[in-house]
Amino acid sequence: MLKVTPNPPVTEPASITDPTSPYECPDSKKFNEAAERALDYYLGPPTARIMAAPYCPNRLYMTNPKSSNESLLVDASETLGSANVMLNDFAALLEGTHRKTLLGIAQIVMLGELAVNQVLDNLVPTE
C-alpha cells in the first residue's frame, strides 16, 4: 500500500529552533523552572507554608482558654474601673489642656466599663 502523505520533517526541540521560545539554551529552561518554583513558594497560596510549620501562639499574655465569658467580663470591668480611677487621680495633678485630655481619656475608659457591665448584666441577670 502506498502512503499518500510523506513523513513530517525531523526538527530539533522547540527551545533551540523556535525564535519565540523564551529559553536560549536548556540551562535557561532549568533556571526558569527553579524561578517559577520559588515564586510559587513565596507568592503562591499560603497553605503549603502553613502546613509546614504549625502555629504556636505566644502565651505570654494569653488568658486561660477555659475561662468563662462571665469571669472574663468581670475581669475586664474591674480593669477598666481601675484604669478610670488611676486616670482621674493623675488628672487631679495636672492643669489646663493636659488635664482636659486626661479627663477625656478617663471618660472613654468609663464608657467602656459601662458597656462591659451592661453585657455582664445581660449575660447573667441579677435577681
Side-chain angles (χ1 to χ4, degrees):
M1 177 159 79
L2 293 172
K3 190 172 182 184
V4 177
T5 58
N7 289 334
V10 177
T11 60
E12 297 180 16
S15 63
I16 297 174
T17 60
D18 186 10
T20 60
S21 175
Y23 312 114
E24 294 180 14
C25 65
D27 289 337
S28 67
K29 185 174 182 178
K30 289 181 185 177
F31 176 75
N32 191 10
E33 289 172 353
E36 288 294 326
R37 283 193 308 272
L39 287 172
D40 287 343
Y41 177 79
Y42 288 107
L43 301 177
T47 55
R49 286 177 285 174
I50 289 174
M51 298 305 289
Y55 175 71
C56 183
N58 184 354
R59 297 180 185 259
L60 184 62
Y61 298 109
M62 185 178 230
T63 59
N64 185 358
K66 295 180 182 176
S67 297
S68 68
N69 289 340
E70 180 184 1
S71 63
L72 292 172
L73 286 169
V74 167
D75 185 61
S77 176
E78 290 176 358
T79 301
L80 289 169
S82 298
N84 191 19
V85 169
M86 289 186 287
L87 287 167
N88 284 314
D89 288 346
F90 188 55
L93 302 175
L94 299 176
E95 294 181 2
T97 59
H98 296 295
R99 176 186 168 101
K100 289 181 181 180
T101 301
L102 208 55
L103 287 173
I105 295 170
Q107 186 176 11
I108 292 170
V109 169
M110 182 188 65
L111 290 173
E113 179 186 5
L114 288 173
V116 169
N117 285 335
Q118 183 65 45
V119 171
L120 191 58
D121 288 343
N122 291 342
L123 184 65
V124 182
T126 55
E127 296 178 325

